[in-house]
Amino acid sequence: MTKAPSSQARRCWLVVAVTTTLVATVAATADAAPAPPTTTTAATTTGSLMVEDGLQQLLDEALQANLELRVSSLTVRQRLAALDQARARYLPAIDFAARYTVADGGRTIDIPVGDLVNPVYETLEQLLAAQGTPTAFPRVQNQSIDLLRSPEQETKLVLAQPLYEPRLGPAVDANRAQVARAEADLAALRSLVIRDVQQAYYRWLAAQQAVTVLDATLEAAQANLAANESLYRNGRITRDLVYRAEADVLEIEQERLGAASRVRIAASYVNLLRNSPLDRPLPATTIDDATIERFRANLLRTLSGRTLDVARLQQMADERRQELRSLDSAIEAGEAQKALARAAFKPTLALGAEAGIQGTDYGLAADDRYVLASLVLRWNAFRGGADRAALDEARALTEQLRTTRELAGQQVRLEVQQALERFEVAEASLGTAVKRAQAASGAFGITSRKRDLGQINQAEFIDARRAYTDAQLNVTLVRAEYLARLAELEYAVGQPRRPLQEPLR
């Protein structure tokens, strides 16, 4: 007769302990989840580390080490070098040239000096002999002059200076526009990296907190399973309730495996963005209500107290998005290409000069030195229509870029509208998620008391526990989604900022 009361008391004590552990442990994660265990993923934990601090560290590393940013920076350097080359064409070009030639054979010039002079000499000799004064004149040989002297040297300085070259100005303008385009592409890529790092880090934190919630839930479910096994051994419940509790534990373990995998994948992506080993630890912290309030206050400071108006945000995006600035620079480069094509129809005038020494030997005598200067005028008379075709090509390219710019502007405006709507939905979902968690907490508390009194079965108790766990996981996900949508909105508007940066004016 004393066994039943004792078993009933033990059953009540175990159930109270299980439910108390579940409520206290899971409720503790509603506002500030503890740092995840090191067995879940690589993470570094700092005492009072805020989300902004961890994010600032990741952004600093990503902006310095990201490989895409490095490639884009090298593109800017390349464009700057091309601009310097275009500007250098305004300056004179001075070359030093030296030549030493040894020739053998080749063409010659034959001059019949002997054939022309010797008959005259013979006639004079005959006339003088007839007068009694014979005289002998020397005979002259025919001359053969080599066209190639061996050896021969030429050492000189050559100067070339454009006086009128209509293609130089448009070439400089085109390269300057290309530099501006490369710089805009680099700035756009920096904005994209900032957004991607922010969103990836927020999702990693949410996955970490989800693992923490599941760890607490698993601990409570294991305690419930142990209690049911004890009750079954004492003959107080049937075997099916033990199976149901065991299935609940296995379900939570399965969810935790998936959550841990998501943590590792999210951490690998963050490390990829900052060009680090994929298993490198990340700064661990939690996203709580205080974090949301800080980011919301920062957004209000950025907007200077103004509301989130879609038309105003679209105007800001049209002025600040670097992708649009890149296309504007491309249009300027197209206009410069048109001017360059038109310059082909104009003449060019250049000054050329040479100064040096020539001869078979090196020397500075008057016969060795020489100076040469010339003006060179060139005007294209006919090129088979190639210049006209080049002008038509430049015009078509510029019109294509203008159309692309118009389309990109429409896409940016749509992107801003979508980002704002998603952000507003995420912000509204914050209150809904908190209320859902509060309702689930209240329902679970009532279900726990009924379970203690034996008024409900094991299935209802597990369903209430599952609803409460899902509500807590939803709060974590909604908070991370809010921050991710905020980062997306800032990127869409063209104001991606580091978390500790001063508000833009």
Side-chain angles (χ1 to χ4, degrees), residues 3 22 31 49 120 166 226 249 255 268 386:
K3 180 180 180 180
L22 180 61
D31 295 324
L49 183 70
V120 176
V249 171
E255 291 182 9
S268 298

Side-chain angles (χ1 to χ4, degrees), residues 187-221:
L189 184 57
R190 286 173 61 90
S191 301
L192 184 62
V193 169
I194 291 175
R195 184 202 67 178
D196 289 348
V197 170
Q198 288 176 331
Q199 292 183 337
Y201 185 54
Y202 299 151
R203 293 191 173 100
W204 177 78
L205 291 176
Q208 285 278 78
Q209 292 179 246
V211 171
T212 302
V213 172
L214 292 174
D215 284 340
T217 305
L218 179 61
E219 182 180 352

Side-chain angles (χ1 to χ4, degrees), residues 63-359:
L63 293 178
Q64 292 179 1
N66 186 270
L67 294 179
E68 289 183 287
L69 287 176
R70 190 176 303 174
V71 171
S72 188
S73 298
L74 294 175
T75 301
V76 173
R77 291 176 55 184
Q78 176 187 358
R79 296 301 182 187
L80 287 172
L83 177 59
D84 291 338
Q85 293 180 38
R87 287 172 174 166
R89 293 189 179 96
Y90 281 107
L91 303 176
I94 301 177
D95 297 325
F96 172 79
R99 177 178 59 86
Y100 186 87
T101 305
V102 177
D104 182 17
R107 293 179 296 171
T108 62
I109 298 178
D110 296 327
I111 302 177
V113 179
D115 294 341
L116 294 175
V117 177
N118 289 334
V120 176
Y121 285 166
E122 292 176 358
T123 303
L124 289 176
E125 288 177 350
Q126 294 174 2
L127 291 175
L128 293 173
Q131 295 177 359
T133 58
T135 302
F137 291 95
R139 294 298 185 259
V140 178
Q141 301 294 326
N142 291 333
Q143 298 295 316
S144 179
I145 301 175
D146 295 330
L147 288 179
L148 299 178
R149 293 189 297 178
S150 179
E152 183 183 44
Q153 66 83 23
E154 182 181 37
T155 305
K156 61 184 178 180
L157 290 175
V158 182
L159 169 69
Q161 171 64 58
L163 300 179
Y164 177 70
E165 176 54 85
R167 292 173 293 185
L168 293 182
V172 171
D173 294 339
N175 282 279
R176 185 182 294 112
Q178 292 295 343
V179 169
R181 183 178 187 181
E183 291 175 345
D185 290 339
L186 175 59
L189 184 57
R190 286 173 61 90
S191 301
L192 184 62
V193 169
I194 291 175
R195 184 202 67 178
D196 289 348
V197 170
Q198 288 176 331
Q199 292 183 337
Y201 185 54
Y202 299 151
R203 293 191 173 100
W204 177 78
L205 291 176
Q208 285 278 78
Q209 292 179 246
V211 171
T212 302
V213 172
L214 292 174
D215 284 340
T217 305
L218 179 61
E219 182 180 352
Q222 290 172 342
N224 183 51
L225 174 61
N228 284 340
E229 288 176 343
S230 177
L231 293 174
Y232 173 73
R233 287 193 300 269
N234 290 303
R236 306 304 303 172
I237 60 175
T238 57
R239 184 67 177 177
D240 61 311
L241 297 181
V242 177
Y243 287 148
R244 184 60 187 270
E246 183 179 1
D248 186 47
V249 171
L250 295 175
E251 178 185 356
I252 297 172
E253 289 179 348
Q254 183 178 357
E255 291 182 9
R256 191 191 180 285
L257 289 175
S261 176
R262 289 189 291 271
V263 169
R264 291 190 295 271
I265 293 175
S268 298
Y269 183 57
V270 174
N271 285 322
L272 176 66
L273 292 174
R274 60 174 178 164
N275 191 26
S276 296
L278 299 183
D279 57 350
R280 181 181 174 185
L282 302 181
T285 182
T286 58
I287 303 176
D288 51 16
D289 289 335
T291 302
I292 299 299
E293 291 302 323
R294 288 196 304 272
F295 275 81
R296 183 183 286 115
N298 196 22
L299 175 63
L300 294 177
R301 288 197 303 271
T302 302
L303 298 174
S304 301
R306 293 184 290 265
T307 59
L308 292 173
D309 178 68
V310 62
R312 177 176 173 272
L313 294 179
Q314 288 174 341
Q315 181 181 0
M316 292 172 58
D318 190 67
E319 296 172 353
R320 297 172 178 172
R321 283 291 290 268
Q322 294 300 321
E323 294 89 341
L324 301 182
R325 301 289 75 76
S326 175
L327 289 173
D328 291 338
S329 299
I331 293 174
E332 294 178 3
E335 294 291 342
Q337 288 294 333
K338 289 166 58 176
L340 185 61
R342 293 191 189 98
F345 297 98
K346 300 177 181 180
T348 63
L349 180 63
L351 170 66
E354 294 183 9
I357 55 175
Q358 291 179 338

Side-chain angles (χ1 to χ4, degrees), residues 356-376:
I357 55 175
Q358 291 179 338
T360 56
D361 295 319
Y362 289 96
L364 297 176
D367 294 339
D368 297 325
R369 300 191 305 268
Y370 81 96
V371 176
L372 176 66
S374 59
L375 288 175
V376 181

